[in-house]
Amino acid sequence: MSIAALAAGSLILTACSGSSEGASKLDGTYYVKDVNGTSDLGQLVVKGNTVSHHEYSCDGVYEKPGVTSTGEFNKDQSQIIWTVAGDDSRNKRTGSESISTSNTSISISGSAYVRDNSDAGKALLDGFKAKCGK
């Protein structure tokens, strides 16, 4: 059995292991275009109950993000409580924000972040890379 087949089998088992692990079904990387009214790319990384938010400009898309925040989901995963706002004064991620989720997106206060491996996520990333490549 190949490593890829083993990894896929492991992923399926993990996905079926129940909801006792918190936000595991949401684990992954999500993107939004024009975050906070800028032309920057917003990235949301979910790992268990922990959330980190990064903002990338064209100059920083392959480097360290310009703005970073971290937070956690509340108990019923209807909000993100931002715990570390980072040092950047442009940071808009403070307090708590309402969220809604689907299989391919997480909406934060009305902005839909799409999963990186979804069709919408791939198109968004390709568009941002094309815009920044010139």
Side-chain angles (χ1 to χ4, degrees), residues 15-120:
C16 296
S17 64
S19 61
S20 63
E21 294 177 21
S24 62
K25 73 179 177 85
L26 299 175
D27 280 6
T29 303
Y30 302 79
Y31 292 98
V32 68
K33 185 170 90 169
D34 302 330
V35 68
N36 296 330
T38 69
S39 60
D40 292 349
L41 179 72
Q43 178 190 59
L44 188 70
V45 180
V46 177
K47 195 180 253 186
N49 216 27
T50 304
V51 179
S52 56
H53 186 271
H54 312 280
E55 295 179 25
Y56 294 94
S57 65
C58 278
D59 294 340
V61 74
Y62 299 107
E63 299 170 13
K64 187 177 169 190
V67 180
T68 295
S69 311
T70 55
E72 297 178 347
F73 290 114
N74 68 343
K75 194 170 190 169
D76 68 359
Q77 296 179 358
S78 64
Q79 291 186 329
I80 295 175
I81 294 100
W82 297 107
T83 54
V84 179
D87 298 331
D88 197 295
S89 61
R90 296 170 297 166
N91 195 331
K92 306 277 191 243
R93 305 288 173 210
T94 58
S96 64
E97 292 185 272
S98 298
I99 66 166
S100 61
T101 62
S102 76
N103 289 340
T104 58
S105 69
I106 297 176
S107 293
I108 303 174
S109 297
S111 295
Y113 288 71
V114 291
R115 196 179 281 270
D116 63 345
N117 60 1
S118 69
D119 290 343

